[in-house]
Amino acid sequence: GGKGGKGKKGFKGAPVGFGFSPYPVKGAGKGKKKPKGRFEPPTVSDPDYAAIITAVEQIDRHYKPLVSEGTFHLEGPNPLTQPTIDLLMPCYEKILADFAQEGYRLQYGSLPHETAHFYIKPGDPVPSYYANVQDGSIYERKLLSILGLRNLLIYGHEIFMQLQRKLFTSDPGAYSHDEGVGLMRRVTGNAVDLDTCVLRCSDGAVLKTVNGLNEKDGLRGYRSVAEFGDSQQARVMAVEAAKPLLKNFCDTLKLDKKAQNKRKVNPSSLSPSHIPLATHNSDRGKHPLWQYINVGQNSFHANVPNLPDVVGSLLLAPLHLVWVYSKVMLLDPSQRDTHLTNFYEDCVVDACFNLKWKAIEDFRIVLSSLDTIGTLLAKLQKDNQAAFAEIIDDTTLTESEQTAKEVDTLWRFALGSHARDAATNTVRAVNKNDVSSWVAHPPSVP
């Protein structure tokens, strides 16, 4: 993995077990010696899944305004306290223990030496890897993904704050040693994208589409990726795609012209005639827009990230993974095995961090289909009884004011949730009209 300082140590109160100490291997030496002999997955007890789900949903409410209000500005202490980390860590132990079973190792092509990664403890560096490549096995990259997400329980808030202080720049020179992207690479083996690809010339489908459109307009096509990447047309397309992204970023973070120039995100500075070339990751983040050319890659990148992906990858993904797993484990046994298999296939993915986050959220929506909108709202009201009791006990409110306040309160808890619409039998986002209808007529809204 990345080089740098030592990882955080000392999980007070955390159980000693798989991942916290070397796994049991026949013939293995003590300490940090490499395992010898036949790998034997350990038996790990079930954690308190219901408590884990409740804890994650409480922390979610702390992070929701970052995206829902569009501020993307994090303040205050880390809501993920040590007792909460101690509650969630055993769930990662169980996720790892299940994935260590021979069936998954065979399914995803595990190589013998890869089981040594199970020695990695929370807070320790995770070996560096590139997603979706031929090096190693899919099993190894899925395993390293789990280990990296586990470390983000410890480091995610810290990394986000470091990136925030530097306005989420992808320029590695902007950060001190073992800070920001460098720290994320060390503790997860990978990193979230802090720039946005606005045109991928090396994508065959893109080249085919451009040539097809050009042919319709009586314009010449391009014989190769390199020819398209060098063209004025590609540069104009890249500039037009990058401008609104840069403007939205500047508006969101309220950057004046001086700050825009310093952060290298001023949209008015873009010109098709001057797009710098990058050939290495260290060249990133130094211009509002650049072209990156390397082996098999020819693309244009805007110097801004997708901020919801940054929030999701660093702060929510490590929490939502244990939420999803806990939901699966609480299913009826007749459903559990199928969803557990799908969990390791569709939720723990061999992909970049932005796509890891999206896969986790997509799987959350799949599990949400097991609940109707009505049952979800009833559960949210039950789980937050204290908030609704205050409204009911407030004698200064008229009946209509009380109803309106109940709707606003329940909507605050439901915002961002998905569930099954019983009328159409489709999964969709819950909206405020659903909440209003349910508060007015709870039994009649399924």
Side-chain angles (χ1 to χ4, degrees), residues 90-166:
C91 192
Y92 270 100
E93 296 263 293
K94 191 68 168 59
I95 291 171
L96 288 165
D98 280 354
F99 197 52
Q101 300 303 313
E102 186 177 19
Y104 290 117
R105 286 186 280 125
L106 290 173
Q107 181 179 349
Y108 295 113
S110 175
L111 302 173
H113 70 274
E114 293 170 353
T115 54
H117 296 317
F118 286 108
Y119 273 109
I120 297 171
K121 300 178 184 179
D124 284 354
V126 172
S128 181
Y129 67 97
Y130 290 97
N132 199 24
V133 296
Q134 296 301 314
D135 187 40
S137 70
I138 294 174
Y139 184 86
E140 180 181 39
R141 295 190 293 274
K142 283 178 178 277
L143 173 56
L144 295 177
S145 294
I146 297 169
L147 295 172
L149 287 164
R150 182 181 69 176
N151 269 351
L152 287 179
L153 286 181
I154 308 162
Y155 290 101
H157 187 275
E158 178 183 348
I159 294 169
F160 187 91
M161 294 295 283
Q162 291 169 352
L163 297 179
Q164 180 176 276
R165 284 194 289 271
K166 300 295 184 179

Side-chain angles (χ1 to χ4, degrees), residues 385-422:
Q385 287 180 18
F388 292 98
E390 286 182 17
I391 299 171
I392 294 169
D393 294 341
D394 188 346
T395 56
T396 65
L397 298 175
T398 65
E399 185 176 346
S400 60
E401 289 172 337
Q402 186 181 87
T403 299
K405 199 164 185 179
E406 281 186 60
V407 169
D408 289 341
T409 302
L410 186 53
W411 173 235
R412 192 172 77 246
F413 294 132
L415 183 63
S417 299
H418 288 73
R420 180 165 52 86
D421 185 330

Side-chain angles (χ1 to χ4, degrees), residues 12 197 235 299 335:
K12 295 179 181 179
C197 180
R235 293 166 185 275
S299 51
Q335 295 180 299

Side-chain angles (χ1 to χ4, degrees), residues 25-45:
V25 180
K26 287 184 178 178
K30 295 181 179 179
K32 289 192 174 181
K33 292 181 181 178
K34 290 183 178 179
K36 298 178 182 178
R38 184 172 176 270
F39 172 64
E40 290 188 354
T43 299
V44 176
S45 300

Side-chain angles (χ1 to χ4, degrees), residues 336-370:
R336 187 187 305 143
D337 287 349
T338 297
H339 285 291
L340 185 60
T341 299
N342 293 341
F343 171 82
Y344 290 109
E345 174 67 22
D346 301 326
C347 189
V348 178
V349 296
D350 172 20
C352 66
F353 250 95
N354 299 58
L355 293 183
K356 291 186 205 301
W357 155 242
K358 286 181 169 61
I360 293 169
E361 289 312 281
D362 286 346
F363 201 78
R364 283 190 90 198
I365 293 173
V366 170
L367 290 183
S368 296
S369 69
L370 303 177

